[in-house]
Amino acid sequence: MSPSRHRRPHPLLSVSVLLCALLGLTPPAAASEGPSASADVARLYEEASAATARYEAGRRAAGVQRVQVRRLDRLLAEEQRHVAVLHGDLGRLASAQYRSGGGLPYTAQILLADSPDALMRGKQVLLQADLAVNSAVAKTQRAAATLAVAKRRADRAKRSLDRRNARLARLKRGIERKLESARWTLQGEADRSVTAGKCRGAVRMDQPKTRSTHAWVTPVETYELSAGFDSAGERWAHRHTGQDFAVGIGTPVRSVGAGRVESVSCGGGFGIEIVVRHKGGYFTQYAHLAAVGVDQGDRVRPGQWIGQAGTTGNSTGPHLHFETRLTPYLGSGVDPRRWLAERGVKI
């Protein structure tokens, strides 16, 4: 079933497929790097998210600066055209003065004029026009010079932003390559746990710096929706029992609300899974995980990272399978979207 777009697309979605295609990466099938893989993925995930945010901010800033340079280009061209027009006006004024006797000495013009007073008035008008055009030319030239300085500064700022953004892009690509490798190491560890039917135990993760102020949240922060509740498909013996969130391996999975961990298991079709009991007798399930960050009996708060998404068990690709249930057991599920909507959470 193809994913439906969500209003908050995951910033690292499809990085796995893209980097494997570009770099020839293949999921490592060999041994684990030890219990730090989960923490490495969580750390690199946060670094990649921060690098993406910095890169996008730099890209937007460079875009704004490019718009500023184009605007200054237009203004400068307009001022230069204005100078040219004024220079033309000044030339025409000089020609008119010459045609009206401007080539004769001023004393001779007075002696030869039919009306010296009229000649003097005319000369005064021409002098004033000459001064006005000269003043306008000088002002426009100063404006053009000021714009030229501003354009040079804007050009320098744009080039600096472009260089900074190129560095950020290289940093982002480097982190994503490390994250991709660490993700497959983590997934390999998870697959071995599921095959052995023995959970590796909780790997405590550093929690996000800002805690949720809401009583209920989505199980992952950014995502695309894929298979929905009660949908049919070849992958399920019966209808789909939860809501799938398409996310990358290692994506932090959050408890949707306050509660207590009912169970942690790592066998069967759901792979590695967590079930949380909430007030009011409801349960939520988080399945196909790559790692868990809680143990049975732990209390959890809304938005707390309790595990990391993966593709363990009966899964065709990285995603979180999320259920809301009336009991801890499969078969008692209710529509997760409607259940969360009743608690003020829209997905």
Side-chain angles (χ1 to χ4, degrees):
M1 183 172 293
S2 60
S4 61
R5 297 296 300 174
H6 185 266
R7 59 190 173 85
R8 296 184 297 169
H10 195 282
L12 300 177
L13 194 67
S14 300
V15 166
S16 303
V17 176
L18 179 60
L19 286 174
C20 283
L22 291 177
L23 304 173
L25 292 174
T26 55
S32 160
E33 293 293 331
S36 64
S38 177
D40 284 346
V41 170
R43 175 180 56 80
L44 288 166
Y45 180 90
E46 288 295 284
E47 288 182 9
S49 296
T52 298
R54 289 196 299 271
Y55 172 78
E56 290 300 317
R59 186 181 59 80
R60 288 191 296 270
V64 170
Q65 199 64 45
R66 277 191 287 273
V67 171
Q68 173 74 352
V69 169
R70 287 196 294 270
R71 186 181 72 85
L72 289 170
D73 272 335
R74 290 193 298 270
L75 290 174
L76 184 56
E78 185 179 329
E79 290 295 340
Q80 288 168 340
R81 285 195 299 271
H82 197 191
V83 170
V85 168
L86 289 173
H87 273 299
D89 289 344
L90 191 57
R92 285 190 295 275
L93 179 61
S95 297
Q97 285 179 304
Y98 181 79
R99 285 194 301 272
S100 63
L104 292 173
Y106 189 49
T107 303
Q109 291 181 46
I110 293 174
L111 292 173
L112 295 173
D114 293 335
S115 172
D117 288 342
L119 178 63
M120 292 180 67
R121 285 196 299 274
K123 285 291 183 180
Q124 184 66 29
V125 170
L126 287 174
L127 179 61
Q128 289 173 346
D130 185 26
L131 290 172
V133 172
N134 274 328
S135 175
V137 168
K139 288 179 180 178
T140 306
Q141 286 175 329
R142 287 195 296 272
T146 300
L147 280 171
V149 170
K151 183 182 178 301
R152 286 195 296 272
R153 288 175 179 168
D155 274 328
R156 285 197 298 270
K158 183 185 76 67
R159 288 193 296 270
S160 175
L161 282 168
D162 285 341
R163 288 192 298 271
R164 176 178 178 271
N165 222 32
R167 290 194 299 270
L168 287 173
R170 289 192 296 271
L171 173 65
K172 178 175 175 285
R173 288 192 298 269
I175 293 172
E176 286 172 350
R177 283 194 293 268
K178 293 177 183 177
L179 175 59
E180 183 62 16
S181 177
R183 278 172 163 169
W184 285 113
T185 298
L186 176 62
Q187 184 61 42
E189 293 178 353
D191 288 337
R192 286 188 290 277
S193 293
V194 171
T195 301
K198 183 178 180 181
C199 295
R200 289 180 296 134
V203 177
R204 305 296 177 178
M205 295 184 293
D206 292 335
Q207 294 298 313
K209 293 179 181 178
T210 55
R211 294 190 178 187
S212 173
T213 57
H214 301 286
W216 300 95
V217 298
T218 55
V220 284
E221 188 171 3
T222 53
Y223 51 86
E224 286 185 356
L225 295 176
S226 50
F229 177 73
D230 207 29
S231 55
E234 297 178 356
R235 296 195 297 273
W236 311 296
H238 304 288
R239 300 185 75 83
H240 193 232
T241 55
Q243 174 64 59
D244 287 352
F245 296 80
V247 292
I249 294 170
T251 299
V253 172
R254 312 189 294 183
S255 176
V256 296
R260 186 185 291 274
V261 177
E262 179 78 8
S263 64
V264 176
S265 59
C266 58
F270 285 121
I272 299 175
E273 63 169 318
I274 299 170
V275 176
V276 176
R277 177 194 293 268
H278 301 282
K279 186 177 180 180
Y282 286 100
F283 298 81
T284 54
Q285 180 214 28
Y286 312 80
H288 303 306
L289 302 176
V292 296
V294 291
D295 288 315
Q296 183 174 349
D298 284 353
R299 288 193 176 276
V300 293
R301 63 178 183 276
Q304 179 179 333
W305 289 354
I306 59 174
Q308 289 166 280
T311 182
T312 54
N314 182 19
S315 170
T316 59
H319 72 285
L320 169 69
H321 175 88
F322 173 74
E323 290 192 19
T324 51
R325 298 172 174 175
L326 299 173
T327 74
Y329 309 110
L330 179 65
S332 62
V334 295
D335 186 346
R337 297 185 73 165
R338 183 178 299 173
W339 189 86
L340 285 172
E342 290 171 354
R343 288 152 180 80
V345 179
K346 184 178 179 181
I347 61 173

